[in-house]
């Protein structure tokens, strides 16, 4: 006789009179396959935990975002924000779709070059560019986005002895009604610093000021903030043309569009309250189109969209290690991945679903990672069906910032696979090993002699 | 490990404690165990029955049984 599927016995107190009037997806619903490939099979083949990316979803997101903009505005260019996910295959998919590269360090710059991106299609942002990195960027004709006056002076010096005129843009920060205001990157608009920097570059005449850049924040839910930012950027561009006779070729509005993840601490946030890329596109493009540029002098619009293009193309698969009962009677479940692997659990209440068929009984629980650290909490409070050791779970929308911000801390970083459009699965990054982690370490003689003394 | 006498249970897993007014819902296996506890079966008899019917290792069941007792105690459903 076939035995029945076992489930831990469980009772849940019913709170009459406090029924939740907000309907939500059944948390007990199993999510057992990604694009037709069983979660169980993926874990058997590649181990647990495991990041899984969908090529189809990445391309779909990119094309939808591009369409949102280029059906409204004639000159649009996306630049893939490397820090969001700089796996070579991911970057190459975006480049294949037509994206330029947006990088914020020498390391990311080198990655973009290695990925075959034409130097003139690399946008070099960030406050920490080194002298030799700037030199390489000048030589490659890259777009250098200046962050502060010290960088500006260094560039002037480098430009003076360079045969190529650096192509630069000024990063502008401003009040867009968002709180807190991001004022630590670039030059401030309201206090006149941005204009001051712009004037200095044009007067210096050793560089070509071809763009203006801003990145007003991330996971922005307020479309109006972009309208304000675009208005200020257009105003600066117009002044550059009129007062300095230096027309601006492009406006780079940075990233910042939200993904449909749930931000921590936002009570009962639903997918409906998150504006779509179309909403942002409408706000940005109508502002530029109505600003009064001559038809043939509309600036190129650059976007450095990150998380909105890849968050929902990534999953983290994991396995239940243990269950425990906390002092207050609550259920605690220990998973085999922690905040070292799922860095974004610091920001998001990630949607997490069981990967196998279960009953419809759910219980409130806290999900912990395997680290021996108090901060290692994946979800403080989530309703999930009874989970047993060995069961698998799926974390949704984990494609942005995890595969770059993850830490080699206490455990190895897991493998990453991609499900190709063809349906095949490809390993993009192997799981780490002791040899990998130890590779950079040196063991000088000093401990050896002591060990002998014992 | 006896259930309180006056606890009402149903096959569908609904539990009611008339002395406190609390109600609970139980998953399938828990509803079965409650029924057997009411009919005064011993822990060993109940466990043997579960092991025969369900795909579970005895060690796992022992661990879950301890947890089950904690749940019943917290829910105030046990005779002390
Ligand atoms: C300069 C710049 N551009 C683009 C991005 C991508 O932002 P997001 O993922 O919010 O779209 C970032 C992220 O921090 C950034 O610093």
């Amino acid at each position: 006789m076939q035995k029945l599927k076992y489930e831990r016995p469980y009772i849940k107190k019913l709170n009459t009179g406090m029924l939740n009037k907000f309907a939500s997806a059944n948390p007990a619903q199993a999510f057992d396959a990604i694009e037709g490939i069983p979660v169980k099979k993926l874990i058997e083949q590649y181990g647990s935990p495991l990041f899984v990316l969908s090529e189809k979803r990445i391309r779909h997101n990119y094309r939808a975002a591009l369409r949102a903009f280029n059906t409204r505005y004639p000159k649009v260019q996306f630049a893939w924000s490397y820090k969001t996910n700089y796996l070579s295959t991911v970057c190459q998919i975006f480049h294949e779709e037509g994206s330029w590269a947006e990088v914020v360090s020498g390391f990311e710059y080198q990655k973009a070059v290695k990925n075959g991106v034409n130097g003139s299609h690399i946008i070099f942002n960030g406050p920490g560019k080194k002298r030799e990195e700037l030199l390489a960027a000048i030589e490659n004709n890259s777009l250098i986005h200046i962050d502060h006056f010290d960088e500006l002076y260094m560039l002037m010096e480098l430009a003076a002895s360079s045969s190529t005129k650096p192509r630069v843009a000024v990063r502008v920060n401003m009040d867009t009604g968002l709180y807190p205001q991001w004022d630590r990157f670039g030059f401030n608009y309201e206090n006149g610093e941005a204009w001051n920097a712009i004037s200095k570059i044009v007067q210096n005449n050793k560089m070509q000021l071809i763009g203006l850049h801003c990145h007003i924040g991330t996971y922005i839910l307020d479309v109006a903030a972009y309208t304000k930012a675009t208005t200020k950027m257009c105003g600066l561009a117009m002044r550059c043309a009129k007062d300095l006779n230096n027309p601006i070729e492009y406006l780079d509005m940075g990233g910042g569009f939200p993904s449909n993840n749930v931000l921590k601490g936002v009570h009962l946030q639903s997918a409906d309250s998150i504006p779509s890329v179309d909403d942002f596109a409408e706000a940005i493009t109508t502002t530029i189109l109505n600003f009064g540029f001559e038809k043939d002098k509309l600036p190129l619009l650059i976007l450095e969209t990150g998380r909105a293009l890849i968050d929902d193309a990534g999953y983290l698969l994991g396995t239940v290690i243990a269950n425990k009962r906390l002092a207050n009677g609550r259920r605690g479940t220990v998973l085999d991945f922690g905040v070292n692997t799922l860095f974004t659990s610091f920001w998001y209440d990630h949607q997490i679903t069981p990967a196998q068929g279960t009953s419809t009984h759910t219980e409130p629980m806290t999900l912990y990672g395997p680290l021996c650290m108090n901060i290692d909490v994946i979800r403080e409070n989530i309703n999930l069906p009874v989970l047993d050791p060995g069961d698998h779970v799926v974390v949704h929308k984990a494609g942005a910032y995890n595969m770059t911000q993850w830490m080699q801390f206490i455990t190895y970083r897991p493998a990453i696979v991609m499900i190709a459009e063809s349906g095949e699965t490809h390993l993009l990054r192997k799981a780490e090993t002791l040899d990998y982690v130890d590779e950079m370490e040196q063991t000088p003689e000093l401990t050896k002699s002591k060990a002998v003394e014992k | 490990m006896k259930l309180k006498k006056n606890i009402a249970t149903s096959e569908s897993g609904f539990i009611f404690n008339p002395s406190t007014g609390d109600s609970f819902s139980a998953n399938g296996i828990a509803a079965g165990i409650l029924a057997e506890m009411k009919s005064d079966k011993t822990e060993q008899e109940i466990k043997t029955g579960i092991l025969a019917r369900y795909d579970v290792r005895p060690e796992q069941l022992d661990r879950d049984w301890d947890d089950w007792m904690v749940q019943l105690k917290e829910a105030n459903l046990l005779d002390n």
Side-chain angles (χ1 to χ4, degrees), chain A residues 54-80:
Chain A
S54 156
E55 178 190 4
K56 196 195 280 175
R57 192 77 216 169
I58 294 174
R59 291 193 192 270
H60 166 90
N61 288 347
Y62 177 83
R63 289 172 195 172
L66 180 64
R67 202 177 319 116
F69 279 91
N70 72 8
T71 50
R72 294 178 164 91
Y73 192 76
K75 293 156 78 179
V76 178
Q77 179 62 52
F78 276 80
W80 176 238

Side-chain angles (χ1 to χ4, degrees), chain A residues 20-255:
Chain A
N20 190 347
K21 65 178 170 162
F22 299 97
S24 56
N26 178 4
Q29 195 78 45
F31 188 91
D32 58 5
I34 301 173
E35 291 178 6
I37 305 184
V39 168
K40 200 160 182 265
K41 192 175 151 210
L42 287 165
I43 287 181
E44 271 166 17
Q45 195 170 352
Y46 300 101
S48 175
L50 175 72
F51 276 106
V52 180
L53 285 161
S54 156
E55 178 190 4
K56 196 195 280 175
R57 192 77 216 169
I58 294 174
R59 291 193 192 270
H60 166 90
N61 288 347
Y62 177 83
R63 289 172 195 172
L66 180 64
R67 202 177 319 116
F69 279 91
N70 72 8
T71 50
R72 294 178 164 91
Y73 192 76
K75 293 156 78 179
V76 178
Q77 179 62 52
F78 276 80
W80 176 238
S81 172
Y82 265 43
K83 68 160 86 75
T84 316
N85 189 319
Y86 44 58
L87 282 166
S88 303
T89 306
V90 168
C91 296
Q92 278 155 11
I93 289 172
F94 281 108
H95 298 323
E96 210 174 83
E97 292 287 332
S99 231
W100 293 358
E102 185 270 329
V103 303
V104 294
S105 70
F107 155 67
E108 287 190 351
Y109 189 93
Q110 288 166 11
K111 280 216 89 156
V113 171
K114 200 172 162 192
N115 281 331
V117 183
N118 185 310
S120 64
H121 292 166
I122 302 177
I123 294 173
F124 199 175
N125 278 318
K129 308 177 198 84
K130 301 204 176 82
R131 189 183 194 88
E132 63 275 15
E133 293 163 356
L134 285 171
L135 267 176
I138 295 170
E139 259 165 45
N140 292 337
N141 242 336
S142 300
L143 302 165
I144 302 172
H145 287 189
I146 305 173
D147 188 81
H148 45 75
F149 278 113
D150 289 308
E151 184 173 78
L152 175 52
Y153 292 128
M154 194 193 290
L155 266 174
M156 282 181 180
E157 189 194 318
L158 295 175
S161 55
S162 165
S163 53
T164 38
K165 242 181 162 181
R167 298 157 78 220
V168 304
V170 164
R171 174 153 179 182
V172 182
N173 69 61
M174 63 190 89
D175 178 11
T176 56
L178 294 174
Y179 180 84
Q181 188 181 329
W182 279 28
D183 61 357
R184 56 172 284 193
F185 303 111
F187 303 87
N188 185 249
Y189 173 88
E190 282 80 17
N191 70 10
E193 271 212 332
W195 183 250
N196 191 358
I198 288 169
S199 316
K200 272 202 166 57
I201 295 167
V202 175
Q203 277 156 20
N204 172 263
N205 204 28
K206 294 279 193 311
M207 296 180 254
Q208 318 168 54
L209 178 72
I210 60 172
L212 296 174
H213 172 234
C214 69
H215 172 68
I216 58 177
T218 191
Y219 201 96
I220 294 167
L221 295 169
D222 179 17
V223 174
Y226 280 93
T227 308
K228 289 182 197 131
T230 310
T231 305
K232 289 180 179 174
M233 295 281 277
C234 288
L236 281 178
M238 205 68 109
R239 264 179 90 188
C240 284
K242 291 212 171 109
D243 299 0
L244 303 175
N245 196 24
N246 185 104
I248 291 295
E249 288 175 28
Y250 69 86
L251 294 181
D252 180 343
M253 296 305 296

Side-chain angles (χ1 to χ4, degrees), chain A residues 1-16 324-331 359 361 363 386 388-389, chain B residues 14-15 22-30 33 50-56 60-61 64 67-68 70-72 74-75 77:
Chain A
M1 192 185 79
Q2 175 89 23
K3 286 197 174 177
L4 299 170
K5 177 159 170 30
Y6 172 78
E7 187 179 77
R8 185 151 49 75
Y10 169 64
I11 54 170
K12 179 162 87 174
K13 187 159 180 198
L14 299 171
N15 287 330
T16 46
K324 47 174 63 180
R325 196 162 275 283
L326 308 175
N328 62 1
R330 258 179 91 74
R331 169 77 51 196
S359 74
H361 285 265
E363 58 181 337
V386 173
D388 292 312
Chain B
F14 183 76
I15 307 160
D22 289 339
S23 51
F24 304 85
S25 81
N27 62 358
I29 190 165
I33 297 175
I50 292 174
L51 288 171
R53 270 176 293 135
Y54 288 92
D55 181 19
V56 59
Q60 180 69 46
L61 181 59
D64 291 345
D67 182 70
W68 169 242
V70 177
Q71 291 185 58
L72 294 180
E74 268 171 13
L77 298 176

Side-chain angles (χ1 to χ4, degrees), chain A residues 259-447:
Chain A
S259 67
N260 50 1
N261 243 312
V262 175
L263 216 51
K264 268 192 173 168
V266 180
H267 188 55
L268 290 174
Q269 180 190 323
S270 75
D272 322 332
S273 65
I274 301 176
S276 67
V277 174
D278 276 278
D279 297 328
F280 292 106
E282 182 69 19
I284 294 170
T285 57
T286 51
T287 307
I288 306 177
L289 289 171
N290 294 334
F291 202 83
F293 291 102
E294 286 170 47
K295 267 263 153 9
D296 57 341
K297 294 205 176 106
L298 279 171
L300 170 71
L301 171 59
I302 297 182
L303 296 143
E304 303 171 348
T305 311
R307 75 177 78 232
L309 296 185
I310 199 165
D311 222 6
D312 69 357
Y315 304 81
L316 176 60
L317 314 184
T319 305
V320 175
I321 294 178
N323 280 305
K324 47 174 63 180
R325 196 162 275 283
L326 308 175
N328 62 1
R330 258 179 91 74
R331 169 77 51 196
T333 295
V334 185
L335 302 170
D336 67 351
F337 59 86
V339 294
N340 54 344
T341 304
L342 189 69
F343 185 87
T344 50
S345 51
F346 287 127
W347 307 339
Y348 293 140
D349 281 336
H350 273 288
Q351 183 198 349
I352 300 178
T353 43
Q356 51 281 306
T358 52
S359 74
T360 51
H361 285 265
T362 63
E363 58 181 337
M365 60 178 84
T366 303
L367 296 181
Y368 297 107
L371 309 180
C372 199
M373 300 282 291
N374 209 30
I375 54 160
D376 193 25
V377 182
I378 297 295
R379 282 291 305 266
E380 262 128 50
N381 190 8
I382 184 172
N383 269 319
L384 282 178
V386 173
L387 291 170
D388 292 312
D391 280 352
H392 301 310
V393 295
V394 179
V395 180
H396 299 256
K397 296 161 197 152
Y401 294 104
N402 283 309
M403 288 157 249
T404 48
Q405 275 185 286
W406 56 355
M407 288 168 273
Q408 193 281 303
F409 176 59
I410 298 185
T411 67
Y412 298 122
R413 287 178 286 195
I416 304 172
V417 298
M418 177 174 279
I419 300 175
E421 280 190 309
S422 63
E424 287 156 18
T425 312
H426 299 275
L427 186 62
L428 296 194
R429 193 179 199 272
K430 292 190 268 190
E432 289 177 350
T433 59
L434 182 60
D435 284 343
Y436 170 85
V437 176
D438 276 354
E439 194 182 321
M440 305 309 280
E441 243 191 87
Q442 307 283 312
T443 39
E445 292 301 314
L446 92 177
T447 51

